Each structure stands twice: as structure tokens, then as C-alpha cells.
Amino acid sequence: MVQPAAVIQLLDPHVVNQIAAGEVVDRPASVVKELVENALDAGATRIDVRVEEGGKALIEVADDGWGMGPEDLERAFLSHATSKVTAVEDLTHVGTLGFRGEALASIGSVSRARIVSRTRDAASGHRVDDVEGSVSPVVPAAASPGTVVRVENLFAHVPARRKFLRTPGTEMGHINELMSRFALAFPHVAFRLAQGKRVYLECASDESRLRRIDHVHGADIASQLLPVSDASGEPTLEAYIGPPTLTRRDGRLEQVFLNGRHVRDRTVMHAIREAYRDLVPPGGHRPIAFVFLSCDPALVDVNVHPAKAEVRWRDGSNAHRIVRRALRNALQQAAPGKPIHVDGGHASVERAVAFAFEQGAGRSPSVPFGGSPSSVVAEPSPVFRSERAGEACTHDAATSETQRAEHLRPLAQALGTYLVLETEDAIVLVDQHALHERVLFDQINTRLREKGNLEVQRLLMPLVVDLGAAATAQITEEADLLETLGWIVEPFGEDSVAVQGVPAVLRRPDPEAALRDILDVLQTGRRDGLDRTDLVSATVDSLACRSAVMAGDPLHPDEVMSLLEQAEALDHSHSCPHGRPTRLTLSRGQLERWFHRTV
Ligand code: ADP
Ligand code: MG
């Protein structure tokens, strides 16, 4: 092969902008994001967004901000043209949403864009166009004070990008979500989002934060949220968080804002998770939490991500501590009763139960045992009421729980998941996975407390696992901690490890997945600056879950009895470590009422 003559060329600015556009602008929602941020930076109190075809045909953002005069309009579409940053030092304390001076140039290079603007004290306005990178002269135009940016035919001449756009419905969904986050972040600003005749969002200026949440996510959610605030340090925190019983399958309602910017920040996300630890089940159950943080811009670096969605904290562990503490305390105070332990433990499980009760048991896992959901609503789950009330209030009074246990007779395993048992005057349903997890969680914690490490089960043949180079290196670093957790693992070549021993408690046949889980937990924990105790307890959750019998595992009656006996030895066997109830009791009285045997 012949080496081509070295020809390094400076790229044409137009090409540069198109490349940059890929970073800043990848779909209609990112155009809307940049334009709305500009409007906010210009002091707008009212922002009106109109789109057609999910933004592919048209995006128009109108604001009542301070506008641009003709000289500014001449530069607005130039790259690296910004009024917000002049020196490198400015980057260390960015107080505006934008600062790179790239957005308008990028957008103009991949669409037909027009800005019409009028400053507040000018008698009339001006206009400038950018058609796929060629910028027109600025001309006078009729305008009201403020700015209107119109973006048509996004990516029409950039097929490589156009083809990645989804259906108008999907693109509109992204825009809608984005706008609802802006609405929460800036409750004093009026927002409107419409497509054709359909109005997606309309909120007046100067609403309270909670009123905004109500507006955007509905009263159903807003009415259950707990307000939290902490202004004792930096960042200051204002948050609205859901009770542990109100969870979602995805994290869409777990939102973090820093100085008005929506961020995906691992540190804060982890702190939220920690606050809810053992109150909300892991593995897909996410609490609802809107967390608004403010701090001196100098304490964070926002210039680490093209779309500014990620930030770097000067002192991440401080932010972590503030968020975790404030949320955890609020969850504790919301349910009067026993103290909650920030380090996890049983009291917190009880707390979840008490909390669920306080919040109205109607929201807890539904119980339509054969009944229609409406019949359950009509008679608001008496079963859970009494059961939970008993649980939450009578633990201290040492109920004759063990006496009851002696009379428990296993009848069957139903739906592959629930143990059906009978006592003298009740039917009891037990979630086998949740109960077993509860048992293991306690056994593991007791062992750690008493012996300082977990028992190891040596393997006859080492198990070689290909983990990749990064994880293999991590194993070497974490060897000591892993040993505490019952793992004997050694590097085996560059990207594999040899597992010589596994935690004895780990009875499930998939040590590889369990090891990956632990590494994952350790990695996240390390990044978030957890100390050793916290790291260990973070892994206990995952170990207990991995080791427990799963829903769907067949159980021998002897195993059922042994599980129940172990459970009875615990104080808190009524809920799994994550606060899910483990059992449901249907008393004779309740059954009689249900079947109208009594009047
Ligand atoms: P950046 O926001 O990073 O400065 P942009 O390309 O988004 O870069 O905008 C360039 C400049 O145009 C901004 O710095 C601002 O001075 C001006 N500008 C953009 N949009 C508006 C608007 N809606 N109102 C007033 N000025 C604006
Ligand atoms: Mg901008």
C-alpha cells in the first residue's frame, strides 16, 4: 500500500459546524433544548414553543427576553459567538445555561433557520437567516420585543442524520419530556408547548414548585410528595420526594437539577438511591424524586459534556452527603415511630411498612385475590389495612408471632411463587423469594457483624470467568474487600479471573452473574466515595437477592418448613429487605365478610 501524500487540511468552517452539530444537535428535542436555554439566558418570563411533525418540519421558539440588536444578530449564527463567556477563567464559574457559542451556528448549518428579534428599548426589530450554513445580511423586520427563532427542515440536507430521526410521535415525546423538565426547573417562567392544535403544556408564570409538579405530572403524584429542604450547606437543596410505596419501573420521575440545569449526575442519583435504601426494592424500582440543587457555579464544572448533561463536582462526597441525609431524614420524619438508621438495618424496613400505612395502604401491592380491582377499591383492602396496622404498631409489643407460627401448616405452592399456609383461623400467603431474601439478609448481616467476614465455600475446580481487562484489574484492587465478602478470586491472564471460592450463602448456580453484580456495586460505590462499611452493606443487598430462591423455583415441603422456621427466628420477617411485604394474611373474619357470611 502506498502512503497517501500527507495532506492535512483545515476544515472549512461550514464542515466544522456540521460536525459540531452532531455533538450539540442530534434530534429535534436537542434543538428545542438549546433554543429554550437561550431564551432563559436572555431573561425571558414567557416561552412559547411550536412544533410540526415532531420538530422535523418546524420548531419555533418565541420568548419575551431582552432580544438582540442588529450587531448581535450579525454574529448570532457565527460559531464560537457568545455573549456569555469571554475568558477561559469564565469557564470555571458559568452562571448561564449556554456558554459555548455553538448552538445557533450548529443549528443553522443543518436546517433553514431564522431569527427575528427586537431589544426591549428598540422601536422595531431585525431579522437574519441561516440556510444550511449561509448566513444572510441582517434586515429590518416587524417584531415585538423578544426573540423568535424558527428552525425548518432539520437535517433535510444531512441524510446521515435525518435517517436517525424517529417517528414524529417519538420525537414529540422527547420534546414533551424536555419541556416538562424546563417547566419544573423554572417555575417563575410561563411555558407553552403546542403542535398544531394540540397543546402539550401550558403553565402560567410565577407558580410554586409544587404547583408546577402538579401541573406537569398531575395531582395524583404531587399530592403524595414530601417537601424537603436543606439550606445549611452548599449545595442547598429543595426536593419533592415520593413515599417508598410510590415507585416507578423507570427513572423518569427521578430528576436532578443543578442551578436550573437538568443533569444526569451519578453522585446525586446514588445519594437518592442510598436515601431509599431498603425502603424501595432494587432492580428496577425507582422512587419518585425531584431534587433541585443550587450552589456557587465555581463548585461544579459544567464543561465536561457537549450537551452539558453531566457535571463534575469539586467535592462530590459533600454533595452526596447533603442529598442523602436530607432525603433520609425526611423519609424518617414522615412516618413517626422508631428511629431509622442511616446505615440501613431493620428499623428502616419497619419504617417502610409504617410509611406505607401512613400513606394509605390502598396504594400498596394490590390484593385482588380473584376479585376484580373495582371490588378491591370499593372495599378498600381491609386485608392490608389490618395486617399492616398490626405490623407497624405491634412489633414492640412482642406479639405472639411465634406461637402463631407453630400452627402454620403448608398447604401448597401457588403460581410457582406463593406459599399457601393455614393457621387455626387464617390463610397465609407468603412470597417465597421475598421471605428467603429477608432471611438471608439477616443471616449475612449477623455474620458480618459477628465475624467480620462471610463464610467461604471453596470450589473443587476453579471457575474461570472472562471479565474483560478493566474488571480483572478491579478484582486485583478489590481482592481484600472481596475476601471479606466470601469471594476468593485471582487474576487469570489479562482479562479473566479464577474464582476459587464463593460466599457459602450463595446457593444459586450462577456465581459469575453474582460476581459481576458485586463488581458493579463496588465500582459505583467507589466512584461515589463510599467508605468501606457502606461498600460492604451495599453489596449485601445484591448478594441476598442473588442467593434467594426465585419466584418460580419449585420448593420441597421440607424446604418450605425450614424457610418458615428460619423466618420465625427473625423479628421482621414481615417484609423483605426492600420493604416489600412478604406475607398476606386472610383471617377467618375477613373471609367471612368477603363472602358475606356475616352481616
Ligand atoms: P451560547 O448560548 O452558548 O452563548 P448560542 O449559539 O446558543 O451560544 O447563542 C449565541 C448568542 O446569541 C448568545 O450568547 C446570546 O448572546 C445570543 N442569543 C441567542 N438566543 C438568544 C435569545 N433568545 N435572546 C437573546 N439573545 C440570544
Ligand atoms: Mg445557547
Side-chain angles (χ1 to χ4, degrees):
M1 232 178 92
V2 186
Q3 188 184 359
V7 189
I8 298 180
Q9 291 184 339
L10 286 178
L11 290 172
D12 180 300
H14 175 58
V15 180
V16 172
N17 283 338
Q18 281 212 8
I19 294 172
E23 282 187 26
V24 184
V25 178
D26 60 352
R27 63 182 346 153
S30 44
V31 174
V32 175
K33 174 171 186 284
E34 295 296 333
L35 299 182
V36 171
E37 287 187 349
N38 281 348
L40 290 164
D41 281 345
T45 63
R46 163 164 297 281
I47 297 174
D48 196 341
V49 180
R50 284 201 312 123
V51 304
E52 300 295 343
E53 281 181 45
K56 294 179 184 187
L58 171 77
I59 295 169
E60 189 182 271
V61 177
D63 69 58
D64 65 350
W66 50 63
M68 283 174 276
E71 300 81 29
D72 280 342
L73 279 178
E74 255 169 41
R75 296 197 191 121
F77 278 124
L78 303 184
S79 52
H80 308 297
T82 177
S83 57
K84 299 167 194 173
V85 175
T86 49
V88 178
E89 299 81 68
D90 291 350
L91 284 176
T92 59
H93 48 88
V94 174
T96 49
L97 293 168
F99 56 85
R100 298 180 170 217
E102 267 172 357
L104 289 178
S106 302
I107 293 167
S109 72
V110 292
S111 68
R112 300 172 66 90
R114 163 172 291 185
I115 309 175
V116 181
S117 192
R118 176 178 151 193
T119 54
R120 281 173 184 167
D121 47 8
S124 65
H126 290 83
R127 176 186 97 201
V128 64
D129 290 292
D130 185 347
V131 179
E132 270 127 28
S134 44
V135 181
S136 74
V138 173
V139 294
S144 34
T147 303
V148 181
V149 183
R150 236 182 117 81
V151 176
E152 285 175 282
N153 298 341
L154 184 66
F155 300 140
H157 296 274
V158 196
R161 295 211 172 277
R162 181 104 188 160
K163 77 166 188 259
F164 284 109
L165 297 186
R166 302 284 166 237
T167 61
T170 303
E171 296 300 342
M172 191 60 200
H174 287 287
I175 295 174
N176 196 22
E177 251 182 52
L178 169 83
M179 289 301 291
S180 66
R181 292 195 299 259
F182 273 125
L184 295 197
F186 298 91
H188 57 281
V189 175
F191 287 96
R192 187 170 194 277
L193 170 65
Q195 173 161 242
K197 287 210 168 62
R198 173 146 181 219
V199 178
Y200 284 78
L201 175 76
E202 182 149 40
C203 31
S205 56
D206 286 322
E207 289 186 330
S208 74
R209 193 87 78 173
L210 196 54
R211 174 85 192 85
R212 264 294 153 92
I213 296 175
D214 179 330
H215 213 135
V216 173
H217 295 291
D220 235 27
I221 286 177
S223 65
Q224 297 194 64
L225 299 180
L226 200 64
V228 186
S229 66
D230 179 0
S232 61
E234 258 202 301
T236 59
L237 171 145
E238 179 190 350
Y240 299 85
I241 64 174
T245 43
L246 186 68
T247 56
R248 285 288 181 278
R249 271 283 164 197
D250 60 34
R252 250 190 278 180
L253 295 184
E254 201 178 316
Q255 302 180 355
V256 179
F257 299 85
L258 174 61
N259 291 341
R261 184 177 276 126
H262 173 255
V263 289
R264 288 190 306 261
D265 182 64
R266 298 188 68 100
T267 305
V268 178
M269 287 300 201
H270 185 267
I272 297 173
R273 228 181 309 135
E274 285 289 288
Y276 279 88
R277 188 165 74 198
D278 58 29
L279 300 180
V280 164
H285 291 263
R286 310 275 294 268
I288 294 182
F290 302 100
V291 178
F292 305 89
L293 301 170
S294 318
C295 69
D296 180 343
L299 297 181
V300 282
D301 185 358
V302 290
N303 193 23
V304 291
H305 186 267
K308 295 158 278 180
E310 283 160 27
V311 295
R312 190 180 297 134
W313 293 93
R314 292 280 130 83
D315 184 356
S317 59
N318 176 51
H320 189 277
R321 193 167 40 245
I322 287 177
V323 173
R324 180 177 70 149
R325 232 182 246 166
L327 268 55
R328 191 77 177 172
N329 285 343
L331 288 168
Q332 172 184 5
Q333 278 159 22
K338 289 184 181 173
I340 203 161
H341 299 309
V342 172
D343 295 332
H346 304 150
S348 50
V349 173
E350 252 159 69
R351 171 80 43 211
V353 176
F355 202 114
F357 181 60
E358 290 286 310
Q359 294 286 324
R363 291 223 142 245
S364 357
S366 58
V367 246
F369 33 93
S372 69
S374 62
S375 63
V376 172
V377 172
E379 193 185 337
S381 43
V383 177
F384 268 96
R385 275 271 161 95
S386 48
E387 177 73 357
R388 282 174 178 273
E391 251 180 48
C393 310
T394 56
H395 262 301
D396 284 338
T399 37
S400 49
E401 199 51 47
T402 22
Q403 284 169 24
R404 235 210 276 165
E406 282 159 20
H407 302 289
L408 275 176
R409 272 202 312 128
L411 297 180
Q413 185 195 41
L415 307 176
T417 302
Y418 304 102
L419 309 176
V420 184
L421 308 128
E422 181 187 45
T423 68
E424 226 130 81
D425 53 8
I427 296 170
V428 180
L429 297 175
V430 172
D431 177 333
Q432 63 181 41
H433 172 71
L435 185 69
H436 195 198
E437 205 181 342
R438 173 76 258 172
V439 166
L440 290 172
F441 184 77
D442 268 76
Q443 287 174 349
I444 295 170
N445 277 323
T446 308
R447 161 91 195 199
L448 279 171
R449 206 168 40 241
E450 287 170 1
K451 299 255 159 79
N453 61 18
L454 294 185
E455 193 187 335
V456 181
Q457 162 92 63
R458 287 251 168 204
L459 301 182
L460 285 175
M461 292 280 290
L463 175 77
V464 176
V465 183
D466 179 0
L467 286 176
T472 303
Q474 193 195 352
I475 293 269
T476 320
E477 281 163 34
E478 304 282 14
D480 161 52
L481 195 55
L482 285 167
E483 207 170 318
T484 303
L485 295 166
W487 289 94
I488 305 201
V489 190
E490 286 151 15
F492 187 83
E494 292 226 320
D495 38 33
S496 303
V497 297
V499 180
Q500 311 274 7
V502 301
V505 61
L506 190 75
R507 280 180 219 116
R508 304 211 34 99
D510 194 2
E512 179 176 341
L515 182 59
R516 285 182 197 277
D517 270 5
I518 301 273
L519 288 179
D520 214 41
V521 175
L522 291 181
Q523 195 176 14
T524 313
R526 289 273 183 217
R527 189 169 31 227
D528 295 323
L530 298 192
D531 62 22
R532 191 185 160 92
T533 321
D534 277 352
L535 276 176
V536 169
S537 62
T539 59
V540 171
D541 268 8
S542 118
L543 183 60
C545 188
R546 278 276 170 201
S547 309
V549 294
M550 289 292 152
D553 283 354
L555 278 189
H556 190 270
D558 289 349
E559 293 175 299
V560 172
M561 275 325 277
S562 131
L563 181 55
L564 288 167
E565 272 159 24
Q566 295 175 53
E568 290 310 333
L570 303 174
D571 306 338
H572 307 288
S573 59
H574 282 200
S575 52
C576 80
H578 314 116
R580 281 197 308 272
T582 59
R583 67 171 63 186
L584 167 62
T585 305
L586 305 172
S587 72
R588 188 187 297 275
Q590 286 161 336
L591 289 168
E592 284 171 352
R593 277 196 300 283
W594 182 263
F595 290 110
H596 299 285
R597 288 173 153 266
T598 54
V599 198

